[in-house]
């Protein structure tokens, strides 16, 4: 691309494709063919996807897979996952099966509070601001009545509005720190609409608050936005069994439990390890969050902030042995929705939710936490026993063979061959070349 393009969003889809193919790719004909190949055959479905975002030219596929056999609070669930990493679904399924035979996963909701803030600048007398806040709080609530009406009917709404003084950090900086219950909605639109109205009412009411001087009346709103840090929208998932039930072919169960707990404790005290440890957890969490049409960026941001809440980035999971019982659990903040957003629009999201038995947001929080815990269990189990590469490279074998241009017969032959061989890029290349030369 040598020059910027004017009015790209106004071009038709075909014109956009023409422009991108000719200006940004070496083989425009092939680019067009590829983009069209990934369109949905049903024009109605394609139009739906085109309209999710701006400037859509095709679809970007991710595998949509199932990790079956999760036993959660006594119920069986097959968990849909959307993810590109080859070993994730296999690892989740393996962990599900392992715990299926040991009582399954237990979960608990610890809170469902969402947060939003109006950030503003007020440099006047602080006592007057407190007085103003007490006066304006009922007005703030009244001003959003039309927005909160439906949510309140269903048992949700605004939990609290608090005035926070942060002028020690930035001159004049204050907040309305607001908390919400958004039930089955992730709640971003609800929260942001309430906040923007609070900001308007705050500003307007300050103008006619007599105790304020003219300068004090001029509260400056900086911004109004929900926070993706939701430490009180929290879920716990846990597995446990007696240490002797942790049967493992590679080492005695006591040794396995000890090494497993050591690995978790290392992730608790050592940020380099904690980041990778938690990344493994997010392999499970993001895959379900994505499959159910939720905002994985919001979840990621909130989860990592939570992992650093004590001032140092640390493990989201915990493990211990108590009276001969091995316990492994996760506590994780998850702001999720099962209504609104993409949930009723994206056909595969609808299907994912149906496969999960149309959960409430609270139920989905529990399922997602379980997926994270299962994933972490599988990863740490491999790490402290066989090492991660064995399973990972086995799962990656097909990707490698596809990349090397193996035929279906060659793939079949090599998958069988590598059942008891070490998979590396070099060993696969060599084996494929050998078959081809034969
Ligand atoms: C790979 O995607 C995730 C792991 O690195 C997680 C971990 O090390 O715990 C295997």
């Amino acid at each position: 691309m040598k020059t910027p393009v004017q009015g790209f969003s106004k071009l038709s889809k075909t014109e956009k494709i023409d422009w991108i193919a000719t200006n940004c790719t070496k083989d425009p004909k092939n680019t067009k063919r590829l983009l069209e190949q990934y369109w949905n055959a049903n024009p109605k479905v394609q139009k739906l996807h085109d309209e999710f975002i701006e400037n859509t030219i095709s679809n970007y596929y991710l595998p949509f897979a199932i990790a079956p056999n999760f036993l959660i609070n006594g119920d069986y669930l097959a968990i849909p996952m959307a993810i590109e990493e080859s070993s994730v679904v296999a690892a989740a399924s393996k962990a599900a099966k392992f715990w299926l035979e040991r009582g399954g996963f237990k979960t608990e909701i610890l809170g469902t509070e969402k947060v939003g803030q109006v950030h503003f600048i007020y440099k006047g007398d602080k006592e007057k601001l407190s007085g103003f806040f007490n006066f304006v709080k009922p007005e703030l609530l009244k001003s959003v009545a039309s927005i909160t009406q439906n949510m309140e009917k269903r048992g949700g709404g605004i939990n609290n509005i608090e005035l926070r003084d942060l002028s020690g950090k930035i001159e004049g900086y204050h907040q309305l720190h607001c908390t919400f219950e958004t039930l089955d909605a992730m709640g971003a639109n609800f929260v942001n609409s309430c906040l923007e109205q609070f900001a308007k009412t705050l500003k307007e009411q300050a103008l006619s608050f007599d105790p304020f001087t003219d300068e004090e009346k001029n509260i400056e709103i900086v911004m109004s936005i929900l926070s993706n840090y939701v430490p009180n929208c929290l879920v716990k998932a846990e597995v446990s069994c007696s240490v002797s039930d942790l049967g493992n072919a590679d080492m005695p169960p006591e040794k396995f439990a000890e090494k497993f707990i050591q690995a978790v404790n290392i992730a608790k005290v050592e940020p380099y390890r904690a980041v990778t440890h938690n990344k493994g957890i997010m392999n499970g969490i993001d895959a379900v969050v994505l499959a159910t049409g939720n905002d994985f960026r919001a979840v990621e941001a909130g989860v990592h902030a939570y992992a650093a809440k004590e001032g140092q980035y640390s493990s989201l999971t915990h493990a211990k042995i108590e009276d001969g019982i091995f316990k492994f659990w996760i506590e994780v903040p998850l702001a999720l929705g099962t209504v609104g957003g993409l949930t009723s629009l994206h056909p595969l999201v609808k299907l994912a939710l149906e496969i999960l038995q149309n959960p409430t947001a609270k139920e989905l929080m529990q399922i997602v936490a379980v997926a994270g815990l299962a994933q972490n269990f599988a990863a740490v189990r491999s790490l402290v026993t066989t090492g991660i590469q064995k399973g990972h490279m086995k799962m990656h074998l097909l990707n490698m063979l596809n990349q090397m241009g193996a035929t279906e017969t060659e793939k079949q032959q090599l998958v069988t061959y590598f059942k008891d061989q070490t998979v590396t890029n070099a060993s696969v290349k060599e084996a494929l070349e050998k078959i081809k030369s034969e």
Side-chain angles (χ1 to χ4, degrees):
M1 187 182 139
K2 296 195 178 64
T3 49
V5 54
Q6 298 290 331
F8 186 75
S9 67
K10 308 248 160 29
L11 299 180
S12 72
K13 187 166 160 183
T14 320
E15 289 166 337
K16 283 177 190 138
I17 290 174
D18 274 344
W19 186 88
I20 203 85
T22 356
N23 286 283
C24 305
T25 70
K26 285 202 188 80
D27 183 350
K29 233 170 127 186
N30 188 43
T31 303
K32 286 185 210 172
R33 190 193 52 76
L34 186 67
L35 290 171
E36 285 174 19
Q37 196 183 329
Y38 279 81
W39 286 352
N40 195 287
N42 180 341
K44 263 195 181 158
V45 175
Q46 187 51 53
K47 190 156 185 297
L48 188 72
H49 285 262
D50 286 352
E51 288 173 358
F52 285 156
I53 59 169
E54 196 171 69
N55 295 344
T56 314
I57 53 174
S58 190
N59 306 306
Y60 184 94
Y61 290 181
L62 276 184
F64 179 78
I66 297 292
N69 297 327
F70 275 88
L71 178 61
I72 307 177
N73 302 330
D75 290 327
Y76 296 102
L77 264 190
I79 300 190
M81 301 177 104
I83 189 154
E84 88 300 343
E85 192 174 324
S86 22
S87 53
V88 167
V89 177
S93 310
K94 220 168 145 185
K97 186 153 182 283
F98 183 92
W99 287 106
L100 179 69
E101 289 150 12
R102 291 162 178 82
F105 296 80
K106 308 275 182 308
T107 60
E108 189 187 342
I109 294 288
L110 303 176
T112 56
E113 182 184 273
K114 310 282 167 56
V115 178
Q117 298 165 319
V118 177
H119 306 266
F120 66 93
I121 303 293
Y122 168 88
K123 295 184 182 166
D125 184 292
K126 290 191 178 178
E127 264 179 38
K128 278 199 234 166
L129 183 64
S130 294
F132 171 62
F133 176 67
N134 290 335
F135 156 76
V136 85
K137 196 171 168 181
E139 299 302 317
L140 294 173
L141 293 171
K142 244 188 264 165
S143 72
V144 292
S146 62
I147 308 172
T148 56
Q149 203 177 19
N150 281 340
M151 191 64 91
E152 277 171 8
K153 265 191 213 144
R154 285 179 275 130
I158 295 155
N159 286 352
N160 196 19
I161 309 175
E162 210 183 285
L163 174 68
R164 289 193 175 176
D165 179 356
L166 289 131
S167 57
K169 293 185 193 274
I170 293 177
E171 194 194 352
Y173 175 29
H174 292 78
Q175 287 178 353
L176 294 182
H177 183 92
C178 314
T179 49
F180 302 83
E181 172 53 63
T182 61
L183 305 169
D184 285 335
M186 191 271 193
N189 286 333
F190 173 76
V191 170
N192 287 332
S193 301
C194 288
L195 294 171
E196 288 188 4
Q197 183 57 51
F198 287 161
K200 234 167 133 185
T201 309
L202 187 81
K203 177 125 188 99
E204 275 166 17
Q205 294 284 333
L207 289 173
S208 54
F209 187 65
D210 284 341
F212 277 161
T213 62
D214 282 352
E215 210 173 306
E216 286 168 339
K217 281 181 179 168
N218 209 4
I219 282 178
E220 190 194 340
I221 305 292
V222 180
M223 59 188 161
S224 312
I225 187 72
L226 98 167
S227 172
N228 291 121
Y229 185 42
V230 281
N232 296 321
C233 187
L234 200 61
V235 54
K236 180 178 178 186
E238 180 182 319
V239 284
S240 64
C241 70
S242 78
V243 172
S244 55
D245 276 352
L246 282 170
N248 189 294
D250 296 306
M251 64 182 77
E254 293 73 22
K255 187 71 201 161
F256 169 70
E258 185 193 318
K259 281 189 81 179
F260 190 101
I261 292 170
Q262 260 166 358
V264 174
N265 287 344
I266 288 171
K268 281 193 173 187
V269 301
E270 211 285 314
Y272 279 91
R273 175 55 203 151
V275 170
T276 318
H277 180 92
N278 289 349
K279 187 274 182 189
I281 295 172
M282 299 316 287
N283 278 344
I285 289 185
D286 280 343
V288 189
V289 168
L290 205 53
T292 56
N294 275 279
D295 181 344
F296 62 92
R297 288 85 56 208
V299 167
E300 284 275 349
V303 165
H304 296 300
Y306 187 78
K309 68 180 190 311
E310 308 297 346
Q312 177 179 301
Y313 192 86
S314 180
S315 167
L316 292 159
T317 53
H318 315 268
K320 66 176 176 191
I321 297 173
E322 215 172 55
D323 301 329
I325 303 291
F326 169 83
K327 285 192 178 164
F328 178 48
W329 72 101
I330 186 168
E331 257 180 41
V332 71
L334 292 168
L336 301 175
T338 54
V339 298
L342 275 195
T343 52
S344 55
L345 276 182
H346 195 304
L348 285 178
V349 167
K350 270 205 260 184
L351 178 64
L353 290 169
E354 188 186 338
I355 292 170
L356 292 173
Q357 308 302 299
N358 292 317
T360 61
K362 278 186 187 170
E363 285 162 350
L364 185 59
M365 283 167 75
Q366 297 171 69
I367 295 164
V368 171
V370 163
L373 186 70
Q375 207 66 43
N376 189 225
F377 180 78
V380 176
R381 185 171 190 243
S382 296
L383 286 169
V384 301
T385 55
T386 56
I388 207 74
Q389 280 309 82
K390 194 170 165 215
H392 191 76
M393 294 306 274
K394 279 250 150 71
M395 294 309 301
H396 194 50
L397 178 60
L398 280 182
N399 285 347
M400 288 199 246
L401 290 171
N402 284 334
Q403 222 164 36
M404 292 172 192
T407 64
E408 284 311 308
T409 330
E410 287 161 354
K411 281 196 261 181
Q412 268 172 24
Q413 271 176 287
L414 289 170
V415 166
T416 313
Y417 170 75
F418 277 104
K419 279 217 157 90
D420 52 8
Q421 298 293 320
T422 307
V423 178
T424 66
N425 208 44
S427 66
V428 174
K429 205 164 162 221
E430 193 185 326
L432 181 61
E433 272 163 14
K434 192 159 169 248
I435 289 189
K436 282 199 188 288
S437 70
E438 280 163 6

